[in-house]
Amino acid sequence: MKPLRFGRMTDRRERGWLGALLPPLLVVALLATLLASPLRRNLDAPAFDLASVLLAPEPAEDVVIVAIDEPSFAEIGKQWPWPRSLHADLVRSLRAAGAKSIALDMVFAEPSSPDADAALARALGPDVLLGSDETVIETPQADQTIRVEPLQEFLVTGTRTGVVSVALDGDGALRRAPPYRNGFAAEAASVAAPLPGALVRFRGGPRSYRTVSYYQALKPAEFLPPDTFKGKTVFVGLSLQTAASASASQADAFATPFTATTGRLTSGVEAQATIFDAIRSGDLARPAPYLGEIAALLLAAAAGLGLSRGGRVSWKAVAAAVALALAIFGASLLALDLANFWLSPIAPALALLAVVGIDAALDYARERRARRDIEKAFGQYLAPEIVERLARDPSALKLGGERRTLTVLFADVRGFTTLAEAMKDDPERLTRLVNRLLGPLSEAVLAERGTIDKYIGDCVMAFWNAPLDAPDHAERAVAAGRKMLEAVERLNAELAAEAGDGGAALRLAIGVGINTGDCVVGNLGSEKRFDYTAVGDAVNLASRLEGASKLYGVPMLIGETTARALVGPVVELDRIAVKGKSDGVAVFTVLDGAAPGALEPFLAAYRVGRWDEAEAALAKLREEAPGLSGYVERMAARVLRFRETPPDADWRGVFTASEK
């Protein structure tokens, strides 16, 4: 098995700082490229529109719009364009009503009738602003700017002009102040042109400002309350309500940040009034410079890197990332509201969430890979429920090697060498037979949630209490041993049935040795090949007990520590010599129906060399414990041998290998 690293496998130290920093740097580079492209407005526009709706300033009360609207067309009854003498009447009416200034959102570039033009020229003055137009024609050779101004006769009285053209974003929405040196709104405010690209904070949807119809403004005393225009800046222009829906096509109506919520376009004259209001009140928002946006991206990516520290992204980190992204939106809104500074939160929030999201995705992929590795590595020799627990919590593994108290089991086929020799001409049959035996033996281990360490030919080694804790490991190991013995009996019955009445059936037997003690368990081996295994004196003793079970005529032999952990019918059989212990160690077996002290009379006599008493105790055991018949016969033979050849004077009743 290859060396595995679980639990902290996603630690950034293991990934390396370059690997940890690469995703954030790629995210920042991608978003920085996007911010430098024309596509960035498609990214930022929804955020600014939302901010504009949430933080819309109140419209100025000293701004009034005179709308050339449907009621005016109905009342005036003239075909458009109306006579300029009518506009002259409007100017005089507004001036008489106390208007502070009058901005006519119209371009009078072509002459009409001489009388009408003369009438308008006489009505104009320094308090009136007329519209002009500026168009840029792009050709492969050069860009040509065409400026269209009102007729000269309209300007002799000191009338001012301003460019009524506006700059639209890529989605056709009006969000920015016009880039012209003498824009219409700036001229109306008598200020210098605003910062190019400055964002206009709209006050609301259509008709946010006080609006009256053109025909009403012609006769304010008749149709309007007193002082409607007194001290006001009046904007006059086309404002048709029937063509103000967002789906309608109208030359002098524009989508604004409020169009998404209202579904309506804002007339050009009201857009000019809004820009005028924003310029005058200082509500034009300064967009963040490109370097400032890059700095925000880096800070957001660093925050995301901090939230995913260690390379492990928890649900808390994801929730914190979402909360921080919302905080970025909040900070952006606060900067807009308090300082008229706009740093779009979209790119920083995306950077933050992308860094955490990528780390989360990589972490998830690593966890999935770790899960597959665990299932692949342990699925063949651990119970499925234990594999599932390890897959859910890889940190429960300590594969580098640790000291633990284990219960170790060895199970070996009796007489396998003779069996293999008899079947040497039919190796396939021998292989099938061994697999038929090892299959149920392995299932017995897994049924008791043990770990299959290895197969050594016809021998199985397993242990309990690793890699996961099992407080009842001794009981489970003995239960597995008993299930193994039952499985062998079932297999023998199958073999007998297959042989039939006239055939010679094979009969298999196994010996089981179980011991509990401290072991070193983990990935052990060379750099190129590892096994998850256990080593130590307790393992060696378990192997020795398996071999000694044949000498005592019992199918299962267990160590003293294992026996002390059991509650069932356990009887002591003998003491065997173990390196480092002069008195040896007691060995036991599990025998249903036998009293725990059934062998005490025999052992007491046997260990002090009272052979007559020992033989009498064995005779009694033949009658009372038929399950120990093999043990009784072997111990009787040993007593007889000791009668003939007495043991050494310092013998303490400890069995040694030389006594076989």
Side-chain angles (χ1 to χ4, degrees):
M1 185 178 71
K2 294 182 179 180
L4 303 175
R5 292 184 294 178
F6 301 108
R8 296 300 298 171
M9 67 173 291
T10 55
D11 194 292
R12 184 169 289 132
R13 291 172 296 178
E14 295 186 14
R15 294 165 53 193
W17 280 107
L18 180 59
L21 290 175
L22 185 59
L25 291 176
L26 289 176
V27 168
V28 170
L30 178 62
L31 289 174
T33 303
L34 183 61
L35 291 176
S37 72
L39 295 175
R40 61 95 37 83
R41 292 190 176 180
N42 296 332
L43 185 70
D44 292 343
F48 181 74
D49 291 351
L50 177 62
S52 297
V53 172
L54 295 176
L55 302 174
E58 290 295 324
E61 295 183 357
D62 63 344
V63 175
V64 179
I65 296 174
V66 173
I68 301 175
D69 54 9
E70 291 84 354
S72 298
F73 280 105
E75 288 292 330
I76 293 173
K78 294 181 181 291
Q79 186 176 0
W80 185 262
W82 292 334
R84 290 176 182 173
S85 57
L86 188 62
H87 299 315
D89 293 340
L90 176 68
V91 170
R92 285 191 291 269
S93 175
L94 293 174
R95 187 178 290 133
K100 179 181 178 181
S101 61
I102 304 165
L104 298 176
D105 185 12
M106 308 174 202
V107 180
F108 300 118
E110 299 294 333
S112 64
S113 68
D115 292 340
D117 288 347
L120 179 58
R122 289 192 299 271
L124 298 177
D127 59 343
V128 179
L129 176 68
L130 297 180
S132 61
D133 194 13
E134 187 172 297
T135 305
V136 177
I137 300 177
E138 298 180 356
T139 64
Q141 293 76 24
D143 293 343
Q144 182 180 7
T145 300
I146 300 176
R147 180 71 175 262
V148 179
E149 292 283 356
L151 295 174
Q152 187 61 35
E153 62 182 294
F154 295 148
L155 305 179
V156 295
T157 57
T159 303
R160 295 168 294 146
T161 64
V163 179
V164 295
S165 301
V166 293
L168 303 180
D169 281 352
D171 59 353
L174 175 60
R175 298 184 183 90
R176 301 175 188 275
Y180 306 108
R181 179 174 49 83
N182 61 332
F184 189 76
E187 288 293 334
S190 300
V191 298
L195 181 71
L199 294 162
V200 179
R201 297 183 62 185
F202 277 78
R203 273 55 179 160
R207 301 294 174 99
S208 295
Y209 291 91
R210 183 175 183 183
T211 302
V212 300
S213 294
Y214 190 101
Y215 79 91
Q216 294 173 321
L218 284 172
K219 299 177 181 180
E222 181 179 347
F223 295 106
L224 299 172
D227 300 332
T228 298
F229 300 111
K230 187 174 182 179
K232 307 296 195 303
T233 299
V234 182
F235 285 82
V236 182
L238 195 64
S239 180
L240 299 176
Q241 290 300 295
T242 56
S245 66
S247 60
S249 176
Q250 183 177 338
D252 200 29
F254 307 99
T256 69
F258 282 84
T259 298
T261 56
T262 65
R264 298 180 67 80
L265 303 176
T266 297
S267 65
V269 65
E270 187 167 2
Q272 295 291 354
T274 302
I275 299 171
F276 161 80
D277 193 5
I279 293 174
R280 191 183 57 173
S281 60
D283 283 338
L284 287 176
R286 293 175 292 110
Y290 181 70
L291 290 180
E293 292 176 319
I294 299 302
L297 284 180
L298 291 172
L299 287 174
L305 200 61
L307 288 176
S308 60
R309 60 184 181 275
R312 297 183 63 83
V313 183
S314 65
W315 285 112
K316 289 184 178 180
V318 173
V322 173
L324 190 54
L326 294 175
I328 292 174
F329 274 86
S332 182
L333 292 177
L334 198 63
L336 178 63
D337 192 40
L338 299 181
N340 285 317
F341 178 78
W342 176 247
L343 173 61
S344 174
I346 298 295
L350 282 178
L352 169 69
L353 296 176
V355 170
V356 175
I358 290 173
D359 241 346
L362 292 176
D363 187 49
Y364 176 76
R366 286 189 292 267
E367 291 296 336
R368 292 287 297 175
R369 186 168 60 249
R371 186 184 184 95
R372 289 195 300 269
D373 289 343
I374 288 173
E375 292 172 350
K376 181 179 179 181
F378 291 96
Q380 298 299 317
Y381 53 90
L382 282 180
E385 58 268 26
I386 296 180
V387 175
E388 179 63 24
R389 285 178 58 192
L390 290 175
R392 288 197 306 266
D393 182 20
S395 63
L397 282 168
K398 295 182 180 178
L399 300 183
E402 60 175 330
R403 194 167 192 83
R404 296 181 73 129
T405 299
L406 304 181
T407 296
V408 184
L409 177 149
F410 279 84
D412 192 18
V413 179
R414 294 279 176 262
F416 181 75
T417 302
T418 303
L419 180 64
E421 182 64 24
M423 300 177 69
K424 64 180 180 180
D425 295 331
D426 193 353
E428 293 183 356
R429 182 188 175 199
L430 177 62
T431 301
R432 288 195 301 270
L433 180 62
V434 171
N435 289 338
R436 287 182 68 180
L437 176 61
L438 293 181
L441 299 187
S442 302
E443 291 173 3
V445 173
L446 298 180
E448 293 299 329
R449 300 184 179 182
T451 300
I452 299 175
D453 185 306
K454 60 176 67 70
Y455 299 99
I456 311 168
D458 60 317
C459 175
V460 179
M461 174 185 171
F463 54 79
W464 281 258
N465 205 35
L468 296 181
D469 294 337
D472 56 347
H473 51 91
E475 295 179 6
R476 288 192 174 276
V478 172
R482 301 186 73 170
K483 288 180 178 179
M484 286 180 170
L485 297 174
E486 295 170 359
V488 172
E489 290 303 317
R490 289 194 298 271
L491 179 58
N492 284 330
E494 293 175 7
L495 294 175
E498 292 170 3
D501 295 336
L506 291 172
R507 183 163 185 82
L508 302 175
I510 63 169
V512 179
I514 301 174
N515 186 49
T516 301
D518 289 342
C519 306
V520 175
V521 60
N523 266 336
L524 303 177
S526 68
E527 292 183 359
K528 294 184 177 180
R529 181 172 178 80
F530 283 72
D531 280 319
Y532 185 69
T533 187
V535 295
D537 291 340
V539 177
N540 298 335
L541 181 55
S543 176
R544 185 177 175 190
L545 291 176
E546 179 274 315
S549 64
K550 181 178 181 180
L551 301 177
Y552 286 99
V554 293
M556 182 163 58
L557 208 58
I558 62 178
E560 185 174 6
T561 305
T562 306
R564 284 200 299 266
L566 301 179
V567 181
V570 179
V571 292
E572 182 180 354
L573 300 180
D574 198 4
R575 289 197 184 103
I576 62 175
V578 175
K579 183 179 180 181
K581 293 187 177 182
S582 58
D583 292 336
V585 295
V587 295
F588 299 75
T589 193
V590 178
L591 185 64
D592 292 329
L599 271 68
E600 287 183 2
F602 164 72
L603 293 175
Y606 169 75
R607 287 169 178 165
V608 295
R610 296 198 295 267
W611 309 123
D612 291 340
E613 295 180 27
E615 288 180 336
L618 288 174
K620 186 177 180 180
L621 282 174
R622 284 191 183 94
E623 299 177 0
E624 297 179 352
L628 289 175
S629 58
Y631 170 79
V632 170
E633 297 304 323
R634 284 165 175 76
M635 296 307 289
R638 188 183 299 178
V639 170
L640 180 61
R641 187 167 64 250
F642 281 156
R643 279 185 180 277
E644 298 174 353
T645 307
D648 296 336
D650 60 349
W651 181 73
R652 300 181 181 181
V654 178
F655 172 75
T656 62
S658 63
E659 298 171 8
K660 294 181 181 179

mmCIF file of all heavy atoms in Angstrom, residues 37 69 105 107 134 161 171 174 202 240 242 264 316 338 363 369 415 441 477 531 607 631:
data_model
loop_
_atom_site.group_PDB
_atom_site.id
_atom_site.type_symbol
_atom_site.label_atom_id
_atom_site.label_comp_id
_atom_site.label_asym_id
_atom_site.label_seq_id
_atom_site.Cartn_x
_atom_site.Cartn_y
_atom_site.Cartn_z
ATOM 1 N N SER A 37 -11.018 46.471 -19.630
ATOM 2 C CA SER A 37 -11.691 46.283 -20.915
ATOM 3 C C SER A 37 -13.037 47.003 -20.924
ATOM 4 O O SER A 37 -13.568 47.367 -19.873
ATOM 5 C CB SER A 37 -11.896 44.786 -21.172
ATOM 6 O OG SER A 37 -12.912 44.293 -20.312
ATOM 7 N N ASP A 69 -45.564 67.996 -23.832
ATOM 8 C CA ASP A 69 -46.178 66.684 -23.655
ATOM 9 C C ASP A 69 -47.489 66.576 -24.426
ATOM 10 O O ASP A 69 -47.893 67.496 -25.155
ATOM 11 C CB ASP A 69 -46.389 66.409 -22.164
ATOM 12 C CG ASP A 69 -47.180 67.524 -21.479
ATOM 13 O OD1 ASP A 69 -47.701 68.417 -22.183
ATOM 14 O OD2 ASP A 69 -47.270 67.505 -20.236
ATOM 15 N N ASP A 105 -34.136 73.093 -23.996
ATOM 16 C CA ASP A 105 -33.452 71.902 -24.502
ATOM 17 C C ASP A 105 -33.852 71.684 -25.959
ATOM 18 O O ASP A 105 -34.510 70.707 -26.322
ATOM 19 C CB ASP A 105 -33.824 70.689 -23.646
ATOM 20 C CG ASP A 105 -33.045 69.435 -24.047
ATOM 21 O OD1 ASP A 105 -32.076 69.569 -24.820
ATOM 22 O OD2 ASP A 105 -33.422 68.343 -23.586
ATOM 23 N N VAL A 107 -32.412 72.765 -30.195
ATOM 24 C CA VAL A 107 -31.332 73.300 -31.036
ATOM 25 C C VAL A 107 -31.987 74.029 -32.215
ATOM 26 O O VAL A 107 -32.570 73.398 -33.098
ATOM 27 C CB VAL A 107 -30.401 72.177 -31.534
ATOM 28 C CG1 VAL A 107 -29.296 72.776 -32.406
ATOM 29 C CG2 VAL A 107 -29.822 71.390 -30.368
ATOM 30 N N GLU A 134 -23.104 68.443 -30.708
ATOM 31 C CA GLU A 134 -21.742 68.115 -31.129
ATOM 32 C C GLU A 134 -21.713 66.647 -31.492
ATOM 33 O O GLU A 134 -22.103 65.785 -30.702
ATOM 34 C CB GLU A 134 -20.745 68.409 -30.005
ATOM 35 C CG GLU A 134 -19.294 68.242 -30.441
ATOM 36 C CD GLU A 134 -18.324 68.714 -29.373
ATOM 37 O OE1 GLU A 134 -18.335 69.912 -29.054
ATOM 38 O OE2 GLU A 134 -17.562 67.870 -28.853
ATOM 39 N N THR A 161 -25.188 79.098 -24.816
ATOM 40 C CA THR A 161 -25.459 77.792 -25.446
ATOM 41 C C THR A 161 -24.714 76.705 -24.681
ATOM 42 O O THR A 161 -23.682 76.950 -24.052
ATOM 43 C CB THR A 161 -25.014 77.761 -26.913
ATOM 44 O OG1 THR A 161 -23.599 77.910 -26.981
ATOM 45 C CG2 THR A 161 -25.701 78.854 -27.709
ATOM 46 N N ASP A 171 -24.612 49.674 -22.441
ATOM 47 C CA ASP A 171 -25.951 49.101 -22.440
ATOM 48 C C ASP A 171 -27.019 50.112 -22.816
ATOM 49 O O ASP A 171 -28.221 49.835 -22.701
ATOM 50 C CB ASP A 171 -26.271 48.498 -21.072
ATOM 51 C CG ASP A 171 -26.199 49.531 -19.951
ATOM 52 O OD1 ASP A 171 -25.769 50.672 -20.204
ATOM 53 O OD2 ASP A 171 -26.559 49.179 -18.807
ATOM 54 N N LEU A 174 -27.989 56.007 -19.456
ATOM 55 C CA LEU A 174 -27.327 57.271 -19.121
ATOM 56 C C LEU A 174 -26.949 57.247 -17.646
ATOM 57 O O LEU A 174 -27.815 57.216 -16.772
ATOM 58 C CB LEU A 174 -28.269 58.443 -19.414
ATOM 59 C CG LEU A 174 -27.773 59.838 -19.017
ATOM 60 C CD1 LEU A 174 -26.473 60.177 -19.735
ATOM 61 C CD2 LEU A 174 -28.844 60.879 -19.318
ATOM 62 N N PHE A 202 -28.829 59.969 -9.971
ATOM 63 C CA PHE A 202 -30.195 60.328 -10.336
ATOM 64 C C PHE A 202 -31.082 60.390 -9.096
ATOM 65 O O PHE A 202 -30.901 59.634 -8.143
ATOM 66 C CB PHE A 202 -30.746 59.333 -11.351
ATOM 67 C CG PHE A 202 -30.340 59.636 -12.764
ATOM 68 C CD1 PHE A 202 -29.067 59.324 -13.226
ATOM 69 C CD2 PHE A 202 -31.214 60.269 -13.626
ATOM 70 C CE1 PHE A 202 -28.683 59.621 -14.518
ATOM 71 C CE2 PHE A 202 -30.839 60.565 -14.933
ATOM 72 C CZ PHE A 202 -29.576 60.249 -15.373
ATOM 73 N N LEU A 240 -42.672 63.168 -23.547
ATOM 74 C CA LEU A 240 -43.900 62.468 -23.908
ATOM 75 C C LEU A 240 -44.079 61.230 -23.037
ATOM 76 O O LEU A 240 -43.204 60.360 -22.988
ATOM 77 C CB LEU A 240 -43.858 62.063 -25.380
ATOM 78 C CG LEU A 240 -43.733 63.215 -26.393
ATOM 79 C CD1 LEU A 240 -43.606 62.672 -27.809
ATOM 80 C CD2 LEU A 240 -44.928 64.147 -26.274
ATOM 81 N N THR A 242 -46.443 58.901 -23.368
ATOM 82 C CA THR A 242 -46.879 57.718 -24.106
ATOM 83 C C THR A 242 -45.713 56.958 -24.718
ATOM 84 O O THR A 242 -45.866 55.818 -25.130
ATOM 85 C CB THR A 242 -47.843 58.123 -25.231
ATOM 86 O OG1 THR A 242 -47.216 59.093 -26.074
ATOM 87 C CG2 THR A 242 -49.124 58.695 -24.655
ATOM 88 N N ARG A 264 -39.441 52.543 -17.019
ATOM 89 C CA ARG A 264 -39.732 53.714 -17.856
ATOM 90 C C ARG A 264 -38.444 54.466 -18.173
ATOM 91 O O ARG A 264 -37.455 54.416 -17.421
ATOM 92 C CB ARG A 264 -40.714 54.649 -17.145
ATOM 93 C CG ARG A 264 -42.060 53.984 -16.866
ATOM 94 C CD ARG A 264 -43.010 54.934 -16.176
ATOM 95 N NE ARG A 264 -43.392 56.036 -17.057
ATOM 96 C CZ ARG A 264 -44.312 55.958 -18.009
ATOM 97 N NH1 ARG A 264 -44.949 54.814 -18.226
ATOM 98 N NH2 ARG A 264 -44.622 57.000 -18.752
ATOM 99 N N LYS A 316 -18.136 27.707 7.975
ATOM 100 C CA LYS A 316 -18.006 29.002 8.644
ATOM 101 C C LYS A 316 -17.210 29.973 7.779
ATOM 102 O O LYS A 316 -17.528 31.156 7.709
ATOM 103 C CB LYS A 316 -17.321 28.818 10.001
ATOM 104 C CG LYS A 316 -18.192 28.128 11.039
ATOM 105 C CD LYS A 316 -17.485 28.056 12.382
ATOM 106 C CE LYS A 316 -18.370 27.398 13.434
ATOM 107 N NZ LYS A 316 -17.689 27.314 14.743
ATOM 108 N N LEU A 338 -21.498 59.167 1.539
ATOM 109 C CA LEU A 338 -20.827 60.166 2.357
ATOM 110 C C LEU A 338 -19.793 60.981 1.596
ATOM 111 O O LEU A 338 -19.537 62.146 1.940
ATOM 112 C CB LEU A 338 -20.153 59.491 3.560
ATOM 113 C CG LEU A 338 -21.087 58.747 4.527
ATOM 114 C CD1 LEU A 338 -20.289 58.155 5.666
ATOM 115 C CD2 LEU A 338 -22.173 59.677 5.047
ATOM 116 N N ASP A 363 -10.396 22.046 -2.103
ATOM 117 C CA ASP A 363 -10.465 21.299 -0.851
ATOM 118 C C ASP A 363 -11.451 20.142 -0.989
ATOM 119 O O ASP A 363 -11.183 19.018 -0.539
ATOM 120 C CB ASP A 363 -10.886 22.234 0.285
ATOM 121 C CG ASP A 363 -10.799 21.548 1.640
ATOM 122 O OD1 ASP A 363 -9.755 20.941 1.934
ATOM 123 O OD2 ASP A 363 -11.773 21.617 2.406
ATOM 124 N N ARG A 369 -10.760 12.945 -3.203
ATOM 125 C CA ARG A 369 -9.646 12.065 -3.539
ATOM 126 C C ARG A 369 -9.170 11.298 -2.318
ATOM 127 O O ARG A 369 -8.858 10.095 -2.393
ATOM 128 C CB ARG A 369 -8.509 12.893 -4.132
ATOM 129 C CG ARG A 369 -7.363 12.027 -4.643
ATOM 130 C CD ARG A 369 -6.390 12.829 -5.483
ATOM 131 N NE ARG A 369 -5.787 13.914 -4.744
ATOM 132 C CZ ARG A 369 -6.023 15.188 -4.962
ATOM 133 N NH1 ARG A 369 -6.884 15.549 -5.906
ATOM 134 N NH2 ARG A 369 -5.424 16.136 -4.255
ATOM 135 N N GLY A 415 -2.160 -28.622 9.107
ATOM 136 C CA GLY A 415 -1.752 -29.616 8.119
ATOM 137 C C GLY A 415 -1.789 -29.114 6.692
ATOM 138 O O GLY A 415 -2.012 -29.899 5.766
ATOM 139 N N LEU A 441 -13.158 -16.690 6.746
ATOM 140 C CA LEU A 441 -12.312 -16.230 7.855
ATOM 141 C C LEU A 441 -12.197 -14.700 7.838
ATOM 142 O O LEU A 441 -12.260 -14.048 8.891
ATOM 143 C CB LEU A 441 -10.917 -16.862 7.760
ATOM 144 C CG LEU A 441 -10.833 -18.392 7.841
ATOM 145 C CD1 LEU A 441 -9.379 -18.836 7.911
ATOM 146 C CD2 LEU A 441 -11.603 -18.920 9.042
ATOM 147 N N ALA A 477 -12.251 -9.653 19.126
ATOM 148 C CA ALA A 477 -11.288 -10.583 18.534
ATOM 149 C C ALA A 477 -11.663 -12.028 18.849
ATOM 150 O O ALA A 477 -11.615 -12.910 17.975
ATOM 151 C CB ALA A 477 -9.884 -10.260 19.047
ATOM 152 N N ASP A 531 3.084 -1.037 4.148
ATOM 153 C CA ASP A 531 1.919 -1.796 4.602
ATOM 154 C C ASP A 531 1.435 -1.178 5.897
ATOM 155 O O ASP A 531 2.241 -0.781 6.758
ATOM 156 C CB ASP A 531 2.263 -3.264 4.856
ATOM 157 C CG ASP A 531 2.316 -4.064 3.566
ATOM 158 O OD1 ASP A 531 1.445 -3.837 2.721
ATOM 159 O OD2 ASP A 531 3.228 -4.898 3.427
ATOM 160 N N ARG A 607 1.991 -28.430 38.573
ATOM 161 C CA ARG A 607 3.074 -27.451 38.685
ATOM 162 C C ARG A 607 4.030 -27.732 39.839
ATOM 163 O O ARG A 607 5.106 -27.135 39.900
ATOM 164 C CB ARG A 607 2.474 -26.047 38.806
ATOM 165 C CG ARG A 607 1.903 -25.559 37.478
ATOM 166 C CD ARG A 607 1.081 -24.316 37.597
ATOM 167 N NE ARG A 607 0.599 -23.873 36.284
ATOM 168 C CZ ARG A 607 -0.354 -22.987 36.092
ATOM 169 N NH1 ARG A 607 -0.958 -22.416 37.147
ATOM 170 N NH2 ARG A 607 -0.727 -22.676 34.863
ATOM 171 N N TYR A 631 -6.979 -31.690 24.974
ATOM 172 C CA TYR A 631 -6.067 -31.133 25.983
ATOM 173 C C TYR A 631 -5.732 -32.179 27.032
ATOM 174 O O TYR A 631 -4.560 -32.352 27.432
ATOM 175 C CB TYR A 631 -6.716 -29.918 26.626
ATOM 176 C CG TYR A 631 -5.996 -29.382 27.841
ATOM 177 C CD1 TYR A 631 -4.863 -28.595 27.714
ATOM 178 C CD2 TYR A 631 -6.467 -29.682 29.122
ATOM 179 C CE1 TYR A 631 -4.205 -28.100 28.834
ATOM 180 C CE2 TYR A 631 -5.818 -29.195 30.255
ATOM 181 C CZ TYR A 631 -4.700 -28.406 30.102
ATOM 182 O OH TYR A 631 -4.037 -27.915 31.217
#
